[in-house]
Amino acid sequence: MDRNALTKRILIGMASGFVLGSLLHLLALADDSIITLYLVDGLFDIGGKIFIASLKLLVVPLVFVSLVCGASNLGDGSSMGRLGGKTIVLYLFTTGIAITLALVVAILVEPGVGIDLAEQSSFVARESPSLKQVVIDIFPTNPFKAMTEGKMLQVIIFAILVGVAISKSGEHGSRMRAFLLDWNEIIMQLVLMLMAVAPYGVFCLMLTLFTHQGYEVIGDLAKYFFTVVFVLLLHFTGTFSLLLQFLARLNPFNFYRKMSPVMVYAFSTSSSNATMPVTLETVEHRLGVKNEIASFTVPLGATINMDGTAIMQGVATVFISQAYNID
């Protein structure tokens, strides 16, 4: 598969969906019109939802199988400990930077000042679970239930334990590792099949979104929106580029070029978990990362290293406090 051609096709699908959806929105078609009823809310909405469902379908089996394979190859305690320690430290570091940038920029820009929602309604924050409960909830009591409910941290813990057990099981473990490696290849073929139809899925998603919302919806929260976008770009071009240049010794432009399919998928689906199959395929085949490394770090990163979400929540926290006049 020509991945550069695929990226161009996805971008064309995204742009086409945006333009056509915006035009249909400007026409202000009635909800019961033939175009809205049978095309936008019918054919295209079905196509977009099936595309997202297909991506999510692959997430749990892909994470479980790839992580078991990776953990079984890194089964000795020293390799697992070094990789796990470095990975978690890096993830916490970048997330901390993301939140800091979000809070600092939002305080300077003041996106919520002047909205004054305090007189219109009251805001009561939901009580967050304790750190103790968060740690306890990471460990599954029923791994199959965790898989069906998509609790990825629990799936990851179970997969790592199974992988370590396989590495310590001698001949029996070797047979099981070979079996799971075969399954890993099969799942990756499913990913490639899905990537082939991605431009059409992205087109359906963008067309449906902009037909109903229109680009002018951005104007309602423009200051908040552009603050989030600015911090995302700052973190992307600043933090990540510096880490790539000085920590990984990679050319950031070459890295971003090779990762372009992942970025296009993530932008169009708004989900790091849904994009994970593409991330794994790209990291292994375009960047040349070893399977045992990629299969360990990518699922973990998509679950606990959500810098974009951290930025959104950091700006949102300041925005809400300012909107409700809370210091």
Side-chain angles (χ1 to χ4, degrees):
M1 179 185 292
D2 188 339
R3 293 177 177 83
N4 290 327
L6 176 64
T7 303
K8 292 177 183 177
R9 289 172 56 211
I10 294 174
L11 287 172
I12 291 171
M14 185 187 302
S16 301
F18 168 75
V19 171
L20 186 55
S22 298
L23 289 174
L24 290 173
H25 181 77
L26 290 174
L27 292 175
L29 300 171
D31 291 341
D32 57 354
S33 68
I34 293 177
I35 293 178
T36 302
L37 199 60
Y38 293 103
L39 286 179
V40 177
D41 291 339
L43 180 64
F44 295 122
D45 189 43
I46 291 171
K49 287 181 177 177
I50 289 176
F51 175 62
I52 292 294
S54 301
L55 281 170
K56 291 182 176 179
L57 166 70
L58 296 177
V59 170
V60 170
L62 180 63
V63 169
F64 179 75
V65 173
S66 63
L67 203 49
V68 169
C69 293
S72 64
N73 289 327
L74 295 167
D76 67 289
S78 58
S79 297
M80 179 75 74
R82 284 196 304 270
L83 179 61
K86 290 178 180 179
T87 301
I88 292 174
V89 167
L90 179 64
Y91 288 165
L92 292 175
F93 175 69
T94 58
T95 302
I97 292 177
I99 294 173
T100 303
L101 288 174
L103 292 173
V104 170
V105 173
I107 289 171
L108 293 174
V109 174
E110 298 183 333
V113 171
I115 295 180
D116 198 20
L117 295 176
E119 296 180 0
Q120 302 177 28
S121 60
S122 59
F123 176 77
V124 180
R126 184 177 60 183
E127 184 178 356
S128 60
S130 63
L131 178 60
K132 173 185 174 181
Q133 191 60 44
V134 170
V135 173
I136 291 172
D137 289 341
I138 290 174
F139 293 85
T141 56
N142 185 335
F144 300 103
K145 183 180 179 182
M147 291 179 185
T148 56
E149 294 180 353
K151 294 182 177 179
M152 297 312 302
L153 275 176
Q154 294 188 0
V155 173
I156 287 171
I157 293 294
F158 180 62
I160 291 173
L161 293 175
V162 172
V164 172
I166 287 174
S167 71
K168 298 180 181 298
S169 299
E171 183 182 343
H172 302 288
S174 298
R175 290 199 299 268
M176 181 57 69
R177 185 187 297 114
F179 173 74
L180 288 170
L181 286 171
D182 288 339
W183 263 108
N184 193 53
E185 287 300 316
I186 292 170
I187 293 172
M188 293 311 296
Q189 284 301 316
L190 284 171
V191 173
L192 294 175
M193 291 164 55
L194 189 60
M195 287 176 71
V197 299
Y200 309 104
V202 169
F203 171 77
C204 291
L205 287 170
M206 297 298 284
L207 184 142
T208 305
L209 173 66
F210 282 95
T211 298
H212 288 297
Q213 300 293 335
Y215 60 84
E216 67 269 14
V217 72
I218 296 172
D220 297 338
L221 293 168
K223 203 170 183 182
Y224 166 78
F225 172 83
F226 285 111
T227 302
V228 173
V229 171
F230 174 75
V231 181
L232 287 170
L233 290 173
L234 184 63
H235 192 57
F236 177 74
T237 58
T239 306
F240 289 157
S241 295
L242 289 172
L243 286 173
L244 287 167
Q245 185 74 52
F246 297 106
L247 187 63
R249 304 295 181 185
L250 292 174
N251 185 314
F253 296 103
N254 288 337
F255 178 85
Y256 294 144
R257 178 176 57 81
K258 291 181 178 181
M259 289 294 287
S260 57
V262 176
M263 292 187 281
V264 172
Y265 259 88
F267 182 82
S268 56
T269 62
S270 299
S271 172
S272 52
N273 276 333
T275 309
M276 198 188 306
V278 185
T279 308
L280 265 173
E281 200 274 340
T282 304
V283 166
E284 289 187 31
H285 294 91
R286 297 195 77 180
L287 296 180
V289 178
K290 293 179 180 179
N291 174 264
E292 58 265 28
I293 304 295
S295 60
F296 182 87
T297 57
V298 169
L300 191 63
T303 307
I304 70 170
N305 188 40
M306 298 183 180
D307 289 2
T309 301
I311 288 170
M312 180 278 293
Q313 292 184 349
V315 176
T317 299
V318 177
F319 173 80
I320 292 170
S321 68
Q322 291 171 348
Y324 282 93
N325 300 324
I326 299 172
D327 187 3

